[in-house]
Short mmCIF file of all heavy atoms in Angstrom, two decimals:
data_model
loop_
_atom_site.label_atom_id
_atom_site.label_comp_id
_atom_site.label_asym_id
_atom_site.label_seq_id
_atom_site.Cartn_x
_atom_site.Cartn_y
_atom_site.Cartn_z
N MET F 1 -65.60 17.77 157.95
CA MET F 1 -66.62 18.74 157.64
C MET F 1 -67.71 18.01 156.86
O MET F 1 -67.41 17.17 156.02
CB MET F 1 -65.99 19.86 156.80
CG MET F 1 -66.94 20.85 156.25
SD MET F 1 -66.18 22.34 155.59
CE MET F 1 -65.44 21.73 154.09
N ARG F 2 -68.93 18.32 157.16
CA ARG F 2 -70.05 17.71 156.44
C ARG F 2 -70.51 18.64 155.34
O ARG F 2 -70.74 19.83 155.57
CB ARG F 2 -71.18 17.44 157.41
CG ARG F 2 -72.33 16.71 156.78
CD ARG F 2 -73.32 16.32 157.84
NE ARG F 2 -74.51 15.78 157.21
CZ ARG F 2 -75.64 15.59 157.82
NH1 ARG F 2 -75.74 15.88 159.10
NH2 ARG F 2 -76.67 15.12 157.19
N VAL F 3 -70.66 18.09 154.16
CA VAL F 3 -71.17 18.84 153.01
C VAL F 3 -72.56 18.28 152.72
O VAL F 3 -72.72 17.09 152.46
CB VAL F 3 -70.25 18.69 151.78
CG1 VAL F 3 -70.82 19.43 150.58
CG2 VAL F 3 -68.84 19.18 152.10
N GLY F 4 -73.57 19.13 152.78
CA GLY F 4 -74.95 18.68 152.60
C GLY F 4 -75.65 19.41 151.47
O GLY F 4 -75.09 20.29 150.83
N GLY F 5 -76.89 19.01 151.24
CA GLY F 5 -77.69 19.63 150.20
C GLY F 5 -77.33 19.17 148.80
O GLY F 5 -77.57 19.89 147.84
N LEU F 6 -76.76 17.98 148.70
CA LEU F 6 -76.34 17.46 147.40
C LEU F 6 -77.49 16.74 146.71
O LEU F 6 -78.30 16.09 147.37
CB LEU F 6 -75.18 16.46 147.59
CG LEU F 6 -73.96 16.97 148.33
CD1 LEU F 6 -73.02 15.82 148.64
CD2 LEU F 6 -73.25 18.04 147.53
N ASP F 7 -77.54 16.82 145.39
CA ASP F 7 -78.57 16.07 144.69
C ASP F 7 -78.05 14.66 144.37
O ASP F 7 -76.92 14.32 144.66
CB ASP F 7 -79.06 16.80 143.44
CG ASP F 7 -78.01 16.92 142.35
OD1 ASP F 7 -76.98 16.24 142.43
OD2 ASP F 7 -78.23 17.69 141.41
N ASP F 8 -78.90 13.86 143.77
CA ASP F 8 -78.58 12.45 143.53
C ASP F 8 -77.41 12.24 142.58
O ASP F 8 -76.76 11.20 142.62
CB ASP F 8 -79.80 11.71 142.96
CG ASP F 8 -80.89 11.54 143.99
OD1 ASP F 8 -80.58 11.63 145.20
OD2 ASP F 8 -82.04 11.31 143.60
N SER F 9 -77.12 13.19 141.74
CA SER F 9 -76.06 13.01 140.75
C SER F 9 -74.67 13.31 141.31
O SER F 9 -73.67 13.02 140.65
CB SER F 9 -76.32 13.90 139.53
OG SER F 9 -76.22 15.26 139.89
N ALA F 10 -74.56 13.87 142.50
CA ALA F 10 -73.27 14.23 143.08
C ALA F 10 -72.50 12.98 143.50
O ALA F 10 -73.06 12.08 144.11
CB ALA F 10 -73.46 15.14 144.28
N THR F 11 -71.22 12.94 143.17
CA THR F 11 -70.36 11.83 143.55
C THR F 11 -69.29 12.32 144.52
O THR F 11 -69.08 13.52 144.67
CB THR F 11 -69.66 11.21 142.32
OG1 THR F 11 -68.78 12.19 141.76
CG2 THR F 11 -70.68 10.77 141.27
N SER F 12 -68.59 11.39 145.14
CA SER F 12 -67.50 11.74 146.04
C SER F 12 -66.42 12.52 145.30
O SER F 12 -65.85 13.47 145.83
CB SER F 12 -66.90 10.49 146.67
OG SER F 12 -67.83 9.85 147.49
N ALA F 13 -66.14 12.13 144.07
CA ALA F 13 -65.12 12.82 143.26
C ALA F 13 -65.55 14.26 142.97
O ALA F 13 -64.72 15.18 143.00
CB ALA F 13 -64.87 12.07 141.96
N ASP F 14 -66.83 14.48 142.70
CA ASP F 14 -67.34 15.83 142.46
C ASP F 14 -67.15 16.70 143.70
O ASP F 14 -66.74 17.86 143.60
CB ASP F 14 -68.84 15.80 142.12
CG ASP F 14 -69.15 15.13 140.81
OD1 ASP F 14 -68.27 15.09 139.92
OD2 ASP F 14 -70.29 14.65 140.67
N VAL F 15 -67.44 16.14 144.86
CA VAL F 15 -67.30 16.89 146.11
C VAL F 15 -65.84 17.23 146.37
O VAL F 15 -65.51 18.35 146.75
CB VAL F 15 -67.90 16.10 147.29
CG1 VAL F 15 -67.62 16.78 148.60
CG2 VAL F 15 -69.40 15.90 147.10
N ALA F 16 -64.95 16.27 146.13
CA ALA F 16 -63.51 16.51 146.34
C ALA F 16 -63.01 17.63 145.43
O ALA F 16 -62.28 18.51 145.88
CB ALA F 16 -62.73 15.23 146.10
N ARG F 17 -63.41 17.61 144.17
CA ARG F 17 -62.97 18.67 143.23
C ARG F 17 -63.51 20.03 143.66
O ARG F 17 -62.80 21.02 143.64
CB ARG F 17 -63.42 18.33 141.82
CG ARG F 17 -62.57 17.28 141.14
CD ARG F 17 -62.88 17.18 139.65
NE ARG F 17 -64.25 16.76 139.39
CZ ARG F 17 -64.64 15.50 139.29
NH1 ARG F 17 -63.79 14.53 139.43
NH2 ARG F 17 -65.90 15.21 139.03
N ALA F 18 -64.78 20.08 144.04
CA ALA F 18 -65.38 21.35 144.44
C ALA F 18 -64.76 21.89 145.72
O ALA F 18 -64.48 23.09 145.82
CB ALA F 18 -66.89 21.18 144.63
N LEU F 19 -64.50 21.03 146.67
CA LEU F 19 -63.89 21.46 147.92
C LEU F 19 -62.44 21.91 147.70
O LEU F 19 -62.00 22.89 148.29
CB LEU F 19 -63.96 20.34 148.96
CG LEU F 19 -63.54 20.67 150.37
CD1 LEU F 19 -64.30 21.88 150.90
CD2 LEU F 19 -63.76 19.48 151.28
N ALA F 20 -61.73 21.23 146.82
CA ALA F 20 -60.35 21.63 146.50
C ALA F 20 -60.34 23.01 145.84
O ALA F 20 -59.50 23.85 146.15
CB ALA F 20 -59.70 20.60 145.60
N ARG F 21 -61.27 23.23 144.94
CA ARG F 21 -61.37 24.52 144.25
C ARG F 21 -61.70 25.63 145.24
O ARG F 21 -61.06 26.68 145.26
CB ARG F 21 -62.44 24.44 143.16
CG ARG F 21 -62.51 25.61 142.23
CD ARG F 21 -63.52 25.40 141.09
NE ARG F 21 -63.92 24.03 140.86
CZ ARG F 21 -65.15 23.56 141.06
NH1 ARG F 21 -66.10 24.35 141.49
NH2 ARG F 21 -65.44 22.30 140.83
N ALA F 22 -62.68 25.40 146.10
CA ALA F 22 -63.10 26.42 147.06
C ALA F 22 -62.07 26.62 148.16
O ALA F 22 -61.92 27.73 148.67
CB ALA F 22 -64.45 26.04 147.67
N GLY F 23 -61.36 25.55 148.52
CA GLY F 23 -60.40 25.63 149.61
C GLY F 23 -59.00 25.99 149.21
O GLY F 23 -58.12 26.21 150.06
N GLY F 24 -58.73 26.02 147.90
CA GLY F 24 -57.41 26.37 147.41
C GLY F 24 -56.36 25.32 147.70
O GLY F 24 -55.21 25.65 148.00
N CYS F 25 -56.73 24.06 147.60
CA CYS F 25 -55.77 22.98 147.83
C CYS F 25 -55.93 21.93 146.74
O CYS F 25 -56.78 22.05 145.87
CB CYS F 25 -55.97 22.36 149.21
SG CYS F 25 -57.56 21.56 149.43
N GLY F 26 -55.11 20.89 146.80
CA GLY F 26 -55.18 19.82 145.82
C GLY F 26 -56.22 18.78 146.19
O GLY F 26 -56.54 18.58 147.36
N VAL F 27 -56.75 18.12 145.18
CA VAL F 27 -57.75 17.07 145.40
C VAL F 27 -57.17 15.95 146.26
O VAL F 27 -57.86 15.35 147.07
CB VAL F 27 -58.27 16.52 144.05
CG1 VAL F 27 -59.20 15.35 144.25
CG2 VAL F 27 -58.97 17.61 143.26
N ASN F 28 -55.86 15.69 146.11
CA ASN F 28 -55.23 14.62 146.87
C ASN F 28 -55.11 14.95 148.36
O ASN F 28 -54.79 14.07 149.16
CB ASN F 28 -53.87 14.30 146.30
CG ASN F 28 -52.93 15.48 146.32
OD1 ASN F 28 -53.37 16.62 146.36
ND2 ASN F 28 -51.64 15.22 146.27
N GLU F 29 -55.38 16.18 148.75
CA GLU F 29 -55.34 16.58 150.16
C GLU F 29 -56.68 16.45 150.85
O GLU F 29 -56.82 16.79 152.02
CB GLU F 29 -54.86 18.03 150.26
CG GLU F 29 -53.47 18.26 149.71
CD GLU F 29 -53.10 19.72 149.72
OE1 GLU F 29 -53.16 20.33 150.80
OE2 GLU F 29 -52.77 20.23 148.64
N ILE F 30 -57.69 15.95 150.13
CA ILE F 30 -59.05 15.86 150.66
C ILE F 30 -59.51 14.41 150.65
O ILE F 30 -59.32 13.70 149.67
CB ILE F 30 -60.02 16.72 149.81
CG1 ILE F 30 -59.58 18.17 149.89
CG2 ILE F 30 -61.45 16.53 150.25
CD1 ILE F 30 -60.30 19.08 148.97
N ARG F 31 -60.09 13.99 151.76
CA ARG F 31 -60.68 12.66 151.85
C ARG F 31 -62.20 12.83 151.92
O ARG F 31 -62.70 13.65 152.68
CB ARG F 31 -60.18 11.93 153.08
CG ARG F 31 -58.71 11.59 152.98
CD ARG F 31 -58.16 10.98 154.23
NE ARG F 31 -58.98 9.85 154.67
CZ ARG F 31 -58.86 9.29 155.86
NH1 ARG F 31 -57.99 9.75 156.72
NH2 ARG F 31 -59.63 8.27 156.19
N VAL F 32 -62.90 12.04 151.12
CA VAL F 32 -64.35 12.15 151.04
C VAL F 32 -64.97 10.78 151.28
O VAL F 32 -64.53 9.79 150.71
CB VAL F 32 -64.80 12.68 149.66
CG1 VAL F 32 -66.30 12.81 149.58
CG2 VAL F 32 -64.13 14.01 149.36
N GLY F 33 -65.97 10.74 152.13
CA GLY F 33 -66.67 9.49 152.42
C GLY F 33 -67.71 9.16 151.36
O GLY F 33 -67.72 9.73 150.27
N THR F 34 -68.59 8.28 151.71
CA THR F 34 -69.67 7.85 150.81
C THR F 34 -70.81 8.85 150.86
O THR F 34 -71.24 9.26 151.94
CB THR F 34 -70.18 6.47 151.24
OG1 THR F 34 -69.09 5.56 151.26
CG2 THR F 34 -71.25 5.96 150.30
N VAL F 35 -71.31 9.23 149.70
CA VAL F 35 -72.45 10.14 149.63
C VAL F 35 -73.68 9.35 150.07
O VAL F 35 -73.97 8.27 149.55
CB VAL F 35 -72.64 10.69 148.20
CG1 VAL F 35 -73.87 11.57 148.12
CG2 VAL F 35 -71.41 11.45 147.75
N ARG F 36 -74.39 9.88 151.06
CA ARG F 36 -75.57 9.19 151.61
C ARG F 36 -76.82 10.07 151.47
O ARG F 36 -76.77 11.26 151.73
CB ARG F 36 -75.34 8.87 153.07
CG ARG F 36 -74.16 7.96 153.28
CD ARG F 36 -74.06 7.52 154.70
NE ARG F 36 -72.84 6.79 154.93
CZ ARG F 36 -72.73 5.47 154.84
NH1 ARG F 36 -73.79 4.77 154.53
NH2 ARG F 36 -71.58 4.87 155.07
N LYS F 37 -77.90 9.42 151.08
CA LYS F 37 -79.16 10.13 150.90
C LYS F 37 -79.91 10.22 152.22
O LYS F 37 -79.99 9.25 152.97
CB LYS F 37 -80.02 9.41 149.87
CG LYS F 37 -81.23 10.17 149.44
CD LYS F 37 -81.92 9.50 148.28
CE LYS F 37 -83.12 10.32 147.87
NZ LYS F 37 -83.78 9.76 146.71
N SER F 38 -80.45 11.40 152.50
CA SER F 38 -81.22 11.59 153.72
C SER F 38 -82.70 11.34 153.44
O SER F 38 -83.12 11.31 152.29
CB SER F 38 -81.03 13.02 154.24
OG SER F 38 -81.71 13.93 153.43
N PRO F 39 -83.50 11.19 154.50
CA PRO F 39 -84.94 10.99 154.30
C PRO F 39 -85.62 12.16 153.57
O PRO F 39 -86.67 11.99 152.97
CB PRO F 39 -85.49 10.86 155.72
CG PRO F 39 -84.33 10.43 156.55
CD PRO F 39 -83.13 11.06 155.90
N ARG F 40 -85.03 13.34 153.63
CA ARG F 40 -85.61 14.52 152.97
C ARG F 40 -85.35 14.54 151.46
O ARG F 40 -85.85 15.41 150.77
CB ARG F 40 -85.06 15.79 153.57
CG ARG F 40 -85.48 15.98 155.00
CD ARG F 40 -84.93 17.26 155.53
NE ARG F 40 -85.33 17.44 156.92
CZ ARG F 40 -84.86 18.35 157.70
NH1 ARG F 40 -83.95 19.20 157.27
NH2 ARG F 40 -85.27 18.45 158.94
N GLY F 41 -84.52 13.61 150.97
CA GLY F 41 -84.27 13.53 149.54
C GLY F 41 -82.94 14.07 149.09
O GLY F 41 -82.47 13.71 148.02
N LEU F 42 -82.32 14.95 149.87
CA LEU F 42 -81.01 15.46 149.51
C LEU F 42 -79.94 14.59 150.17
O LEU F 42 -80.21 13.89 151.13
CB LEU F 42 -80.85 16.92 149.94
CG LEU F 42 -81.78 17.90 149.25
CD1 LEU F 42 -81.58 19.30 149.82
CD2 LEU F 42 -81.54 17.91 147.76
N SER F 43 -78.74 14.65 149.64
CA SER F 43 -77.65 13.82 150.14
C SER F 43 -76.63 14.67 150.87
O SER F 43 -76.58 15.89 150.73
CB SER F 43 -76.98 13.09 148.98
OG SER F 43 -77.92 12.29 148.30
N SER F 44 -75.78 13.98 151.64
CA SER F 44 -74.67 14.64 152.31
C SER F 44 -73.49 13.69 152.37
O SER F 44 -73.64 12.49 152.12
CB SER F 44 -75.07 15.08 153.73
OG SER F 44 -75.35 13.96 154.53
N VAL F 45 -72.32 14.25 152.69
CA VAL F 45 -71.10 13.43 152.75
C VAL F 45 -70.15 14.06 153.76
O VAL F 45 -70.12 15.28 153.92
CB VAL F 45 -70.45 13.33 151.36
CG1 VAL F 45 -69.96 14.67 150.85
CG2 VAL F 45 -69.31 12.32 151.35
N TRP F 46 -69.41 13.22 154.49
CA TRP F 46 -68.38 13.69 155.41
C TRP F 46 -67.08 13.80 154.66
O TRP F 46 -66.73 12.94 153.84
CB TRP F 46 -68.23 12.73 156.58
CG TRP F 46 -69.32 12.86 157.58
CD1 TRP F 46 -70.41 12.04 157.72
CD2 TRP F 46 -69.47 13.89 158.56
NE1 TRP F 46 -71.22 12.51 158.73
CE2 TRP F 46 -70.65 13.63 159.27
CE3 TRP F 46 -68.71 14.99 158.92
CZ2 TRP F 46 -71.10 14.44 160.31
CZ3 TRP F 46 -69.15 15.79 159.96
CH2 TRP F 46 -70.33 15.51 160.63
N THR F 47 -66.34 14.87 154.93
CA THR F 47 -65.05 15.09 154.27
C THR F 47 -63.99 15.41 155.32
O THR F 47 -64.32 15.83 156.43
CB THR F 47 -65.11 16.26 153.28
OG1 THR F 47 -65.41 17.46 153.99
CG2 THR F 47 -66.17 16.04 152.21
N GLN F 48 -62.74 15.19 154.96
CA GLN F 48 -61.61 15.60 155.79
C GLN F 48 -60.69 16.42 154.91
O GLN F 48 -60.34 16.02 153.80
CB GLN F 48 -60.83 14.40 156.30
CG GLN F 48 -61.37 13.78 157.53
CD GLN F 48 -60.44 12.70 158.05
OE1 GLN F 48 -59.95 11.89 157.28
NE2 GLN F 48 -60.23 12.68 159.34
N CYS F 49 -60.29 17.57 155.43
CA CYS F 49 -59.34 18.43 154.73
C CYS F 49 -58.63 19.28 155.78
O CYS F 49 -58.98 19.24 156.96
CB CYS F 49 -60.03 19.30 153.68
SG CYS F 49 -61.29 20.40 154.34
N SER F 50 -57.67 20.06 155.35
CA SER F 50 -56.96 20.91 156.29
C SER F 50 -57.89 22.00 156.82
O SER F 50 -58.89 22.35 156.20
CB SER F 50 -55.74 21.55 155.61
OG SER F 50 -56.17 22.48 154.63
N VAL F 51 -57.55 22.52 157.97
CA VAL F 51 -58.34 23.61 158.57
C VAL F 51 -58.35 24.82 157.65
O VAL F 51 -59.38 25.47 157.48
CB VAL F 51 -57.78 23.96 159.97
CG1 VAL F 51 -58.46 25.20 160.52
CG2 VAL F 51 -57.93 22.81 160.91
N GLU F 52 -57.21 25.09 157.03
CA GLU F 52 -57.13 26.24 156.13
C GLU F 52 -58.08 26.08 154.94
O GLU F 52 -58.77 27.03 154.55
CB GLU F 52 -55.69 26.43 155.61
CG GLU F 52 -54.70 26.82 156.67
CD GLU F 52 -54.17 25.63 157.47
OE1 GLU F 52 -54.41 24.46 157.07
OE2 GLU F 52 -53.53 25.86 158.51
N ALA F 53 -58.13 24.88 154.36
CA ALA F 53 -59.02 24.64 153.22
C ALA F 53 -60.48 24.73 153.65
O ALA F 53 -61.31 25.31 152.94
CB ALA F 53 -58.73 23.28 152.61
N ALA F 54 -60.80 24.18 154.81
CA ALA F 54 -62.18 24.24 155.30
C ALA F 54 -62.60 25.68 155.56
O ALA F 54 -63.70 26.10 155.17
CB ALA F 54 -62.32 23.42 156.58
N ASN F 55 -61.73 26.46 156.20
CA ASN F 55 -62.05 27.86 156.46
C ASN F 55 -62.21 28.65 155.16
O ASN F 55 -63.10 29.49 155.05
CB ASN F 55 -60.97 28.50 157.33
CG ASN F 55 -61.05 28.06 158.77
OD1 ASN F 55 -62.09 27.61 159.23
ND2 ASN F 55 -59.96 28.14 159.48
N ALA F 56 -61.36 28.39 154.18
CA ALA F 56 -61.46 29.09 152.90
C ALA F 56 -62.78 28.75 152.20
O ALA F 56 -63.43 29.62 151.62
CB ALA F 56 -60.27 28.74 152.00
N ALA F 57 -63.18 27.49 152.28
CA ALA F 57 -64.44 27.07 151.65
C ALA F 57 -65.62 27.74 152.33
O ALA F 57 -66.55 28.21 151.66
CB ALA F 57 -64.58 25.56 151.71
N VAL F 58 -65.59 27.82 153.65
CA VAL F 58 -66.69 28.48 154.39
C VAL F 58 -66.71 29.98 154.09
O VAL F 58 -67.77 30.56 153.88
CB VAL F 58 -66.56 28.20 155.90
CG1 VAL F 58 -67.52 29.05 156.70
CG2 VAL F 58 -66.77 26.73 156.18
N ARG F 59 -65.54 30.62 154.08
CA ARG F 59 -65.47 32.06 153.80
C ARG F 59 -65.95 32.39 152.39
O ARG F 59 -66.48 33.47 152.15
CB ARG F 59 -64.04 32.57 153.97
CG ARG F 59 -63.66 32.87 155.40
CD ARG F 59 -62.37 33.67 155.46
NE ARG F 59 -61.27 33.02 154.79
CZ ARG F 59 -60.42 32.16 155.36
NH1 ARG F 59 -60.54 31.85 156.63
NH2 ARG F 59 -59.43 31.62 154.68
N SER F 60 -65.77 31.45 151.45
CA SER F 60 -66.21 31.71 150.08
C SER F 60 -67.72 31.62 149.92
O SER F 60 -68.25 31.85 148.85
CB SER F 60 -65.51 30.74 149.11
OG SER F 60 -66.03 29.44 149.26
N GLY F 61 -68.40 31.23 150.99
CA GLY F 61 -69.86 31.17 150.93
C GLY F 61 -70.39 29.77 150.71
O GLY F 61 -71.58 29.58 150.53
N GLY F 62 -69.54 28.78 150.71
CA GLY F 62 -69.98 27.39 150.54
C GLY F 62 -69.28 26.73 149.39
O GLY F 62 -68.40 27.31 148.74
N VAL F 63 -69.67 25.52 149.13
CA VAL F 63 -69.05 24.71 148.09
C VAL F 63 -70.11 24.40 147.04
O VAL F 63 -71.15 23.83 147.35
CB VAL F 63 -68.49 23.40 148.68
CG1 VAL F 63 -67.89 22.53 147.60
CG2 VAL F 63 -67.46 23.70 149.77
N LEU F 64 -69.85 24.79 145.81
CA LEU F 64 -70.76 24.52 144.70
C LEU F 64 -70.30 23.23 144.01
O LEU F 64 -69.22 23.20 143.41
CB LEU F 64 -70.78 25.68 143.72
CG LEU F 64 -71.69 25.53 142.51
CD1 LEU F 64 -73.13 25.37 142.96
CD2 LEU F 64 -71.55 26.73 141.61
N VAL F 65 -71.07 22.18 144.14
CA VAL F 65 -70.73 20.88 143.56
C VAL F 65 -71.43 20.72 142.23
O VAL F 65 -72.63 20.92 142.13
CB VAL F 65 -71.13 19.74 144.52
CG1 VAL F 65 -70.83 18.39 143.91
CG2 VAL F 65 -70.43 19.90 145.86
N GLY F 66 -70.66 20.34 141.21
CA GLY F 66 -71.26 20.06 139.91
C GLY F 66 -70.90 21.02 138.85
O GLY F 66 -70.30 21.97 138.85
#
């Protein structure tokens, strides 16, 4: 799952914690890639997690990082 709209201060660890919180799973169940900046100025990162955690995060309205 791609998580976008991140500012420059967001780290992979921040994304993992936020996704775990929103998805109702442990941080150790989530794999997060390198945060990359887009030409528009915001960053994004690819993540891997269970389908249940991804669906829970989407149903909650998104992932708030930070």
Side-chain angles (χ1 to χ4, degrees):
M1 172 167 73
R2 184 172 172 194
V3 178
L6 304 171
D7 67 13
D8 289 340
S9 66
T11 65
S12 295
D14 294 335
V15 174
R17 283 191 298 271
L19 188 54
R21 189 175 342 113
C25 64
V27 175
N28 60 337
E29 299 175 56
I30 298 172
R31 292 175 51 192
V32 181
T34 304
V35 177
R36 299 187 187 267
K37 190 172 181 177
S38 73
R40 294 181 180 170
L42 295 177
S43 301
S44 65
V45 64
W46 283 101
T47 63
Q48 276 186 316
C49 60
S50 68
V51 172
E52 294 83 11
N55 286 338
V58 170
R59 278 193 304 270
S60 72
V63 178
L64 180 61
V65 178

